Amino acid sequence: MKRTGVFICHCGINIAGTVDVKKAAKELAKHKGVVHSEEYVYMCSDPGQNLIIDAIKEKKLDNVVIACCSPTLHETTFRNAAKSAGINTFQCEIANIREQCSWVHKDMNKATDKAIKITKSAVERVRRNESLEPISVPVTRRALVIGGGIAGIQSALDLANSGFEVVLVERSPSIGGHMIQLSETFPTLDCSQCILTPKMVEVSKHPKIKLMTYSEVQEVSGYVGNFKVKILKKPTYVDPDKCTLCDECSKVCPVLVSNEFDLGLTGRRAIYIPFPQAIPATYTLDIKGCPGLLPIACGKCADVCEPEAIDYDMKPEIVEEEVGAIIVTTGYDLYDKENMAEYGYGKYADVLDGLQFERLCSASGPTMGKILRPSDHKEPKEVVFIQCVGSRDPELHCAYCSKICCMYTAKHAMLYKHHVHDGQAYIFYIDIRSGGKGYEEFVQRAVEEDGVLYLRGKVSKIFEDKGKIKVWGVDTLSGKDIEIDADMVVLATAMRPSKGAEELAKKLKIAMDKDGFLSEAHPKLRPVESVTSGMFLAGAAQAPKDIPEAVAQASGAAAKAIAILSQDRLYHAPTVAKVNLNLCTGCGMCVEVCPYEALSLKDGKVEVNEVLCEGCGTCSATCLRAAIQVKNLTPLQVHEMISISLGG
Amino acid sequence: MAEEFEPKIVAFLCKWCSSAGSDLAGVSRMEYPPNVVPIQVMCSGSVSPLYVLSAFNKGADGVLVSGCHPGDCHYIKGNFYARRRIALVKRLLDFIGLEPQRFQMSWVSAAEGTKYTQIIKDFVQELKPLGPQTKLRRDL
Ligand code: FES
């Protein structure tokens, strides 16, 4: 018979105040198989742990039960103590007699009785535990980063500079994300492209980074340390190695479509380069606009392409990659303008969103950095900026705060004044949220140096009137109605998770919050991890955030990924499902309910992939013949625990 | 005077939510009757109907299965299986004539110490008038 030791902790008076620990120790000593039973004031202290270690050695104990606080607190402490005395960590079980007993009861007799039952049931359990060692698996020491905005770029560079190979996948033809569209960035007003393009070039030149633009993740399987990813590489119909960026093709292309880089403020050809500094530096033929390739309906671009870079026969390709960790940085989109019809957005040419205004301010934008109205190319003399458009509106739009709009609106108003000295900027706001280094000072500067007029209140109506855009609103501070004849209106629309993020999250099996942003594993303590181990999040895919935050989170996610990739092997809890082949009939019911696809049928029997199995036990409750059981919490163990709990 | 009847309850608590919720009740020094002995399982989805029957068989007056709220299961969907399975077991127990109050399922998150406390208090109150469970009990 196995020799069991029982150690009952007083936890000062936390346990001993309600549970008669002496009586409990005496009762346990009578339980069959228990050859040692003692109590001590603080089992978790060094002398307490030594009591356990000495008893294991002296009395040749096979296993031990520590009756103390919740296993979430000291299970590891005591298992390590057991290990140091030479027994397997799984030969130590915790009986929770504090949180689930002494702290919730007053009657000493009853509490003692209950504590005895809980402890005995742990004894019955531990006697039937198998000794197990953690399962270990090798690690593929490469990472996948999904999304090539600033967060993805930062993560990829941090990983690559630490010596790990990275596959960076971006669905559009160039990396750079929304940051590359911006003109200047708050609160320093440095030029966005100037600070981003060096990083983009570094990505393209880095020997450790495999850049896959115009590509999308199609399928992900596997587990932490060993993911298999299928990536769809869409055809660009242009060989980047041959393309010399001469621009002859787009000069002859007859098709004009709206230019997404300028958010529709300009047009582009079907064959195009998204912007001059695009990485990779090459043209892309967007077949959505092209008159046709099969059969070739136009063919002008190929005719003029001297280096013969254009290849109409290019086909979509599926590329398979193996990686050990995945970082998701899919970024954001602005709230759909269809939702903001009340502000005339989409109806009046001179009502713009924040990103469009960035393009107007940008030196490389459609107006070469001159702020001109899209409708008639005149300089606007009165501009109204409206904050919280679609944000903080739980009834009609998004309940959350988009976080960056207060700051970029202040910046917009400031930039406007720097371009149009005699103009006037008005900002309608609900609150000003300028937490961040140098942010509050920045807002003050907008007011004091650039005379921006802040109006606290909401806009009630926007409509066109004699070439002006009339803005009606209220200033809630003075209680006065406001009417402004504006030349241009700029809406700080809400940030939304980028389109397609939901589909991707499903493929990766990572959770989303109610707004569609990706969920972190713990809002405070694990902000860059997803609930799926080996998958990390960064940037606006997780929640609205500004550039410095996105960059910090991206570096954090990279560090977390490196913690996995720098390991030789990964370890996994060995309390996984086990099949009794004699009992298994191969009915496959367990295979179907497994949340982790850890079970499969092989030769008419179920097989467990121990690395995928998390040990939840859903399979064992489903099996009609108890043929599949989770190690160390088997039906037999549970039945014994039930019987003890009911008094033997 | 005979002693008041004290029902014996077995509670299967999932490790990630309900057991943590019951820990929180302790940390917050709430108080509930000591009639319940908790058995921590990995997930409510791992509670086999046999566990429930076995508990009644061995003399439980009431059985509670408690897991994470639907959608919050640590193992993604274990509690959805539990919910369906428990509903079936309930019907079976109804069919054989066991009082429906004796078998309950609840959702208690790691933050719901108060809720756990209330559930146990109510459960004990509901079981008291029923007296000992004899239907499934295999008397020793
Ligand atoms: S882990 Fe709590 S119900 Fe599944």
Side-chain angles (χ1 to χ4, degrees):
Chain A
M1 173 161 285
K2 294 244 179 85
R3 299 167 62 82
T4 306
V6 175
F7 302 84
I8 299 174
C9 180
H10 300 191
C11 193
I13 56 159
N14 282 307
I15 293 172
T18 328
V19 170
D20 182 342
V21 284
K22 293 222 160 31
K23 181 177 169 199
K26 250 187 236 144
E27 279 299 315
L28 262 300
K30 293 187 215 151
H31 194 74
K32 74 171 187 309
V34 175
V35 296
H36 180 91
S37 175
E38 68 178 309
E39 21 78 32
Y40 183 67
V41 59
Y42 285 113
M43 279 295 170
C44 60
S45 66
D46 268 358
Q49 292 185 49
N50 287 336
L51 282 182
I52 302 171
I53 295 171
D54 293 345
I56 293 175
K57 288 184 182 158
E58 277 161 30
K59 304 232 171 144
K60 301 202 168 25
L61 302 178
D62 295 308
N63 46 48
V64 291
V65 167
I66 325 295
C68 55
C69 52
S70 167
T72 50
L73 299 168
H74 278 303
E75 186 175 74
T76 324
T77 314
F78 293 124
R79 288 195 161 169
N80 286 339
K83 191 174 171 193
S84 72
I87 62 175
N88 185 270
T89 47
F90 288 92
Q91 297 305 337
C92 170
E93 284 290 346
I94 305 297
N96 179 352
I97 60 165
R98 191 179 75 174
E99 283 83 347
Q100 298 186 348
C101 187
S102 71
W103 272 352
V104 285
H105 306 312
K106 290 225 169 77
D107 181 319
M108 190 140 195
N109 281 333
K110 288 181 178 165
T112 307
D113 194 41
K114 176 172 165 180
I116 293 170
K117 285 181 182 161
I118 294 176
T119 312
K120 282 186 181 172
S121 85
V123 170
E124 289 304 318
R125 178 177 179 191
V126 79
R127 301 173 62 74
R128 291 170 179 82
N129 269 1
E130 285 177 58
S131 289
L132 301 171
E133 293 302 334
I135 295 166
S136 88
V137 283
V139 180
T140 310
R141 302 174 112 176
R142 316 168 73 216
L144 168 71
V145 177
I146 308 173
I150 177 60
I153 290 173
Q154 186 65 43
S155 287
L157 286 174
D158 284 349
L159 283 157
N161 288 334
S162 308
F164 297 101
E165 271 178 46
V166 183
V167 181
L168 174 58
V169 174
E170 163 60 45
R171 69 175 164 192
S172 60
S174 170
I175 55 170
H178 283 308
M179 185 175 166
I180 198 70
Q181 294 174 300
L182 308 183
S183 57
E184 271 112 41
T185 52
F186 61 80
T188 46
L189 294 189
D190 36 23
C191 145
S192 190
Q193 296 197 338
C194 314
I195 56 176
L196 183 55
T197 45
K199 279 184 183 284
M200 291 164 59
V201 173
E202 195 185 343
V203 165
S204 73
K205 296 272 183 305
H206 206 297
K208 295 266 181 196
I209 297 179
K210 175 171 173 184
L211 178 59
M212 293 180 69
T213 47
Y214 219 42
S215 301
E216 285 175 31
V217 170
Q218 280 221 310
E219 213 182 290
V220 178
S221 60
Y223 44 87
V224 54
N226 297 277
F227 294 108
K228 284 197 174 57
V229 190
K230 283 194 183 145
I231 301 160
L232 168 72
K233 211 171 162 14
K234 295 177 279 186
T236 58
Y237 303 103
V238 178
D239 181 344
D241 297 330
K242 290 189 188 155
C243 176
T244 58
L245 304 177
C246 66
D247 198 41
E248 294 302 322
C249 54
S250 83
K251 279 186 202 147
V252 297
C253 178
V255 183
L256 194 64
V257 293
S258 147
N259 183 355
E260 44 289 85
F261 188 71
D262 284 334
L263 298 119
L265 292 176
T266 58
R268 63 157 171 86
R269 300 294 162 177
I271 188 160
Y272 71 113
I273 183 163
F275 50 94
Q277 311 92 322
I279 296 285
T282 182
Y283 278 64
T284 298
L285 172 55
D286 170 12
I287 43 164
K288 268 198 259 86
C290 181
L293 294 177
L294 269 180
I296 297 166
C298 160
K300 289 202 173 105
C301 51
D303 288 347
V304 296
C305 182
E306 241 168 66
E308 297 184 353
I310 297 172
D311 172 9
Y312 293 139
D313 294 326
M314 224 182 245
K315 294 271 168 317
E317 227 185 296
I318 301 278
V319 180
E320 294 194 22
E321 295 285 351
E322 291 188 7
V323 296
I326 298 177
I327 300 180
V328 189
T329 58
T330 44
Y332 71 97
D333 275 324
L334 288 184
Y335 198 41
D336 253 342
K337 60 170 165 250
E338 281 77 57
N339 299 323
M340 292 321 316
E342 69 235 57
Y343 286 152
Y345 182 43
K347 187 159 153 207
Y348 307 130
D350 299 326
V351 177
L352 306 177
D353 67 28
L355 276 177
Q356 287 176 318
F357 192 74
E358 293 284 344
R359 296 309 302 144
L360 281 190
C361 297
S362 168
S364 65
T367 49
M368 297 309 190
K370 287 207 185 71
I371 295 180
L372 302 174
R373 312 208 310 172
S375 61
D376 55 9
H377 287 254
K378 284 201 188 114
E379 200 172 63
K381 295 293 179 200
E382 310 245 303
V383 178
V384 172
F385 296 88
I386 306 174
Q387 294 192 177
C388 295
V389 175
S391 304
R392 304 177 67 194
D393 188 345
E395 267 109 67
L396 296 173
H397 303 290
C398 312
Y400 55 86
C401 164
S402 291
K403 199 167 183 184
I404 61 168
C405 323
C406 287
M407 292 309 298
Y408 79 62
T409 302
K411 175 190 78 179
H412 283 169
M414 218 185 243
L415 291 179
Y416 165 68
K417 282 291 289 186
H418 296 175
H419 284 90
V420 183
H421 302 300
D422 59 343
Q424 179 61 53
Y426 304 88
I427 298 180
F428 279 93
Y429 73 103
I430 310 181
D431 300 291
I432 299 295
R433 298 183 168 178
S434 52
K437 200 167 171 173
Y439 287 11
E440 177 58 24
E441 297 91 318
F442 185 77
V443 173
Q444 288 311 322
R445 189 175 139 199
V447 177
E448 284 158 19
E449 288 179 19
D450 296 304
V452 175
L453 211 61
Y454 272 93
L455 300 162
R456 188 172 210 260
K458 277 208 159 187
V459 167
S460 56
K461 197 170 176 184
I462 291 183
F463 58 100
E464 216 163 28
D465 184 35
K466 300 188 201 96
K468 293 272 184 187
I469 302 173
K470 265 214 190 310
V471 179
W472 282 356
V474 222
D475 177 1
T476 53
L477 293 181
S478 65
K480 284 206 189 93
D481 286 341
I482 308 270
E483 186 181 322
I484 300 169
D485 284 326
D487 298 307
M488 187 189 274
V489 173
V490 181
L491 309 178
T493 37
M495 276 171 115
R496 299 285 308 142
S498 78
K499 295 198 180 73
E502 182 177 350
E503 215 183 304
L504 180 70
K506 285 196 180 126
K507 284 180 191 156
L508 300 173
K509 299 196 194 71
I510 54 180
M512 282 172 302
D513 64 22
K514 61 179 195 327
D515 298 310
F517 291 103
L518 302 178
S519 292
E520 62 283 4
H522 188 283
K524 294 173 191 71
L525 304 177
R526 297 170 68 193
V528 302
E529 293 162 72
S530 80
V531 281
T532 313
S533 70
M535 294 197 194
F536 305 96
L537 322 166
Q542 181 249 341
K545 54 175 67 73
D546 59 22
I547 297 167
E549 279 184 318
V551 170
Q553 203 187 12
S555 288
K560 284 284 175 191
I562 291 168
I564 291 175
L565 301 181
S566 55
Q567 224 84 220
D568 282 329
R569 303 186 74 81
L570 290 178
Y571 296 92
H572 182 270
T575 40
V576 294
K578 176 172 153 185
V579 182
N580 180 334
L581 293 178
N582 292 329
L583 293 179
C584 178
T585 58
C587 71
M589 272 164 64
C590 57
V591 177
E592 231 140 90
V593 299
C594 176
Y596 300 98
E597 291 168 35
L599 304 176
S600 56
L601 279 175
K602 202 179 156 205
D603 303 330
K605 302 279 178 191
V606 167
E607 199 177 55
V608 181
N609 179 334
E610 297 201 332
V611 179
L612 290 182
C613 178
E614 293 280 339
C616 67
T618 303
C619 52
S620 79
T622 308
C623 182
L624 299 176
R625 303 168 54 101
I628 187 162
Q629 309 190 341
V630 176
K631 291 178 189 173
N632 291 353
L633 198 56
T634 62
L636 176 64
Q637 287 176 301
V638 176
H639 288 305
E640 293 299 338
M641 289 166 79
I642 295 171
S643 11
I644 292 287
S645 306
L646 290 165
Chain B
M1 202 184 95
E3 236 183 82
E4 198 190 353
F5 164 64
E6 289 294 348
K8 289 192 247 174
I9 302 170
V10 175
F12 296 99
L13 310 179
C14 86
K15 169 171 172 172
W16 304 96
C17 288
S18 295
S19 190
S22 121
D23 276 357
L24 180 65
V27 173
S28 327
R29 307 297 201 280
M30 290 164 184
E31 200 195 336
Y32 55 81
N35 304 52
V36 54
V37 180
I39 295 182
Q40 184 181 308
V41 291
M42 296 308 276
C43 172
S44 63
S46 74
V47 177
S48 144
L50 290 178
Y51 294 178
V52 179
L53 294 174
S54 153
F56 283 124
N57 211 249
K58 289 171 180 149
D61 299 304
V63 174
L64 172 73
V65 178
S66 188
C68 314
H69 284 262
D72 288 348
C73 172
H74 183 76
Y75 302 106
I76 311 166
K77 50 186 182 178
N79 53 3
F80 291 129
Y81 293 123
R83 181 162 64 180
R84 273 191 266 164
R85 200 176 286 137
I86 298 300
L88 270 179
V89 175
K90 231 176 155 34
R91 273 170 53 195
L92 172 76
L93 294 175
D94 272 356
F95 179 72
I96 55 180
L98 190 85
E99 297 90 336
Q101 301 94 304
R102 293 199 186 271
F103 179 43
Q104 302 200 0
M105 165 135 220
S106 65
W107 315 116
V108 172
S109 79
E112 294 178 326
T114 329
K115 183 171 176 191
Y116 182 75
T117 305
Q118 201 52 49
I119 286 171
I120 300 301
K121 282 187 185 163
D122 294 348
F123 201 4
V124 172
Q125 279 321 310
E126 281 175 50
L127 289 175
K128 278 193 173 167
L130 298 182
Q133 179 272 124
T134 50
K135 197 105 214 160
L136 284 166
R137 176 184 198 133
R138 194 176 35 169
D139 268 310
L140 311 156

